[in-house]
Amino acid sequence: MLANNMRQYSMIMSLVFIMFLFQILTDGILLRPLNITNLILQNSYILVLAIGMVLVIITGHIDLSVGSIAAFVGAISAILMVDHQVSPVLAIIISLLVGALIGAWQGFWVAYVKIPSFIVTLAGMLLFRGLTMIVLEGKSIAPFPESFQKISSGFIPDLFGGGTIHVFTLVLGVILSVILVLNEIKSRRTQRKYNFAVQPTGLFALKLVAIVAIINVFAYVLATYEGIPNILIILAVLIVAYRFVTNKTKAGRHVYAIGGNEKAAQLSGVKTKRVTFWVFVNMGVLAALSGLIFAARLNAATPKAGNLFELDAIAACFIGGASAYGGIGTVAGAIIGGLVMGIMNNGMSLLGLGIDWQQGIKGLVLLAAVAFDIYNKNKAS
């Protein structure tokens, strides 16, 4: 049991190790409140992509076009809001619909025409990068309305009117801690009721203490700066929603079934083509959302936006435990993998490492993650 738990939480322990390593190497800069907030803002659009990408990878596919889609949708939103003065709410809705249509276009070729997703999305990467440069005419469009910028740069107001400490953030931290602890206890009782294996009591208690400590320390760190960023609320809603879909719904089980064995899933009644199609539609919507978040943070739509976003999102999924063979992966794992990538990027930048070294190191980390996955699969077989 202990060995199983160690494997289950190995990625979290790796994340903690990397955090403390860079905290020491950067002389304490990494975990300062300002830098923690910057980490959230800088990696939010990659984490959004990782949530969608992990579903694509679970089904046994890949999407190389998400960075180009993010750039294209960012360009569309800028043309609507800046050039044509469309309201931000309407522009966001139109942009998300554009992302859904792009996802449907690619999903059709993958699911129904059976062209490999690598080829379809590689074509999409080239197509939408070209369209981005065409609609922008090779130049940037800026600035966005202030209300739109607040998606990526705004913070939740302090309802309790705190001074140097954002009290509302601390209150939310306590509430979230209570909810998660009660949920863990309820889940443990359900497992014991049906005679499932559960963690030893001591390890379970240690886990609860760790959850409470991490959440409230994190809340305190945010509270000493500006509080909770708006984008963190968006991310939290996406994580909760997609964890529920993947863990508790029939649609989520179908996604895993296709990745595990598509022919067996089809024979058991799963509409594999329809599920694959909607997975790509979902990826298109999240790529569009990522593009909006990035454009709001940059306060401009540029032809170079979204460059290498797809590689960071794919790396986040594999580092977070998704299998290159499909059928395995979790939303939480993708988020942890994205945080690993984000902390590495931020830590290496603080240390003054050039982009060449950063790219090389990230490549080695990705290779190691996939090699570890293949080693475990071969060992299991």
Side-chain angles (χ1 to χ4, degrees):
M1 176 63 73
L2 182 60
N4 289 336
N5 285 301
M6 290 294 287
R7 285 194 297 270
Q8 183 180 357
Y9 299 112
S10 61
M11 201 62 245
I12 297 176
M13 291 189 291
S14 298
L15 174 62
V16 172
F17 172 76
I18 291 171
M19 286 175 58
F20 280 106
L21 175 63
F22 279 110
Q23 174 73 351
I24 294 170
L25 294 176
T26 59
D27 296 325
I29 297 176
L30 182 75
L31 296 182
R32 288 180 183 174
L34 174 60
N35 197 58
I36 290 290
T37 301
N38 284 336
L39 270 170
I40 297 170
L41 301 180
Q42 289 168 1
N43 294 283
S44 55
Y45 37 89
I46 299 299
L47 296 178
V48 170
L49 287 178
I51 292 171
M53 187 65 74
V54 74
L55 298 182
V56 174
I57 290 173
I58 289 170
T59 57
H61 296 288
I62 202 74
D63 193 337
L64 302 176
S65 67
V66 292
S68 297
I69 295 172
F72 179 65
V73 171
I76 295 296
S77 68
I79 291 171
L80 290 172
M81 281 184 271
V82 179
D83 291 348
H84 297 286
Q85 305 300 310
V86 176
S87 72
V89 173
L90 180 58
I92 289 171
I93 294 172
I94 293 173
S95 297
L96 294 177
L97 287 175
V98 169
L101 288 174
I102 293 172
W105 161 262
Q106 299 194 136
F108 167 77
W109 292 107
V110 175
Y112 294 101
V113 185
K114 293 297 182 181
I115 299 177
S117 58
F118 181 90
I119 301 300
V120 172
T121 58
L122 178 60
M125 179 177 71
L126 299 173
L127 172 63
F128 296 110
R129 180 61 62 184
L131 287 176
T132 300
M133 291 187 279
I134 290 171
V135 299
L136 290 178
E137 298 178 345
K139 58 187 178 183
S140 299
I141 298 179
F144 282 100
E146 186 176 346
S147 58
F148 178 72
Q149 294 177 46
K150 287 184 178 180
I151 293 175
S152 289
S153 61
F155 293 83
I156 301 294
D158 191 352
L159 302 181
F160 299 100
T164 56
I165 296 291
H166 199 279
V167 179
F168 187 53
T169 298
L170 297 178
V171 172
L172 286 180
V174 172
I175 293 173
L176 181 60
S177 300
V178 172
I179 292 173
L180 289 178
V181 167
L182 292 177
N183 185 63
E184 288 288 335
I185 293 173
K186 179 182 177 182
S187 177
R188 180 180 170 85
R189 285 176 177 171
T190 302
Q191 290 174 337
R192 297 186 71 172
K193 179 181 177 181
Y194 293 102
N195 296 319
F196 291 139
V198 296
Q199 295 172 329
T201 304
L203 186 61
F204 179 72
L206 184 63
K207 174 184 173 181
L208 295 184
V209 171
I211 288 174
V212 172
I214 290 171
I215 290 174
N216 286 280
V217 168
F218 180 65
Y220 176 77
V221 170
L222 292 179
T224 56
Y225 182 56
E226 295 283 349
I228 299 175
N230 293 334
I231 191 61
L232 187 58
I233 299 298
I234 296 174
L235 276 172
V237 170
L238 288 175
I239 292 168
V240 171
Y242 278 87
R243 281 203 69 184
F244 176 79
V245 169
T246 54
N247 294 340
K248 303 292 185 180
T249 68
K250 183 169 69 174
R253 290 193 293 273
H254 287 176
V255 169
Y256 281 99
I258 291 173
N261 189 321
E262 185 174 359
K263 289 185 178 179
Q266 191 171 13
L267 290 172
S268 65
V270 176
K271 299 184 184 303
T272 56
K273 293 180 180 179
R274 183 186 298 177
V275 173
T276 301
F277 174 80
W278 283 108
V279 164
F280 275 91
V281 172
N282 175 74
M283 185 72 258
V285 172
L286 290 181
L289 178 59
S290 175
L292 292 171
I293 292 169
F294 183 74
R297 175 165 172 74
L298 196 62
N299 194 23
T302 70
K304 295 295 184 182
N307 189 33
L308 297 181
F309 279 15
E310 60 279 345
L311 299 185
D312 281 340
I314 292 169
C317 295
F318 286 136
I319 292 171
S323 173
Y325 298 99
I328 297 173
T330 63
V331 171
I335 294 298
I336 292 171
L339 291 175
V340 168
M341 294 291 290
I343 290 171
M344 286 178 57
N345 286 336
N346 185 264
M348 288 187 291
S349 296
L350 291 174
L351 291 174
L353 287 178
I355 190 67
D356 47 357
W357 280 98
Q358 292 187 34
Q359 295 294 345
I361 292 172
K362 288 194 293 183
L364 290 174
V365 171
L366 174 59
L367 180 62
V370 176
F372 183 69
D373 166 51
I374 293 174
Y375 168 77
N376 282 337
K377 187 176 182 66
N378 291 337
K379 186 177 179 181
S381 61

